[in-house]
Amino acid sequence: MGKYTEKLEDIKRLIGDLQKEAPEAIGAFHQFMEAVEKPGAMDSKSKELVNVGLAVAAQCEWCIALHVKGALDAGATRAEIIDAGMQAVLMHGGPALMYMTPLTQALDEFGAK
């Protein structure tokens, strides 16, 4: 199992643990997440690309793994995902540029073309 697949597993474990320890809070968060992520004025792919940029800006490797995978699953190309990450670099500078490393590693691990 690769590093970014492990990050996805970490997220699943965390959500499972929080469903036991804070079911009301995690349930409300999950409901909010579903409402925001469903297609609306933007389609799912566009939303995932925005999330990729935000994940890079937030410097969160778990978020990068989740949203790179989500963007790929929604039909985004490697080039689109890199472009989304570069928007974060534009707005957040050098530190965000360094988080293009896990972004490209996740793309490689998930087999993005």
Side-chain angles (χ1 to χ4, degrees), residues 6-18:
E6 286 180 24
K7 297 277 185 203
L8 296 176
E9 290 300 315
D10 288 346
I11 294 167
K12 287 180 189 174
R13 270 191 302 279
L14 174 63
I15 298 300
D17 290 346
L18 291 174

Side-chain angles (χ1 to χ4, degrees), residues 41-97:
M42 293 171 61
D43 63 20
S44 295
K45 181 175 105 171
S46 297
K47 287 183 177 195
E48 283 296 345
L49 289 169
V50 168
N51 290 341
V52 165
L54 292 169
V56 170
Q59 301 174 0
C60 174
E61 288 191 47
W62 291 268
C63 303
I64 290 169
L66 181 66
H67 294 296
V68 164
K69 182 75 168 86
L72 289 169
D73 289 349
T77 66
R78 181 184 185 94
E80 289 172 320
I81 293 167
I82 289 173
D83 198 21
M86 290 304 294
Q87 297 306 302
V89 174
L90 170 67
M91 299 304 292
H92 288 270
L97 179 62

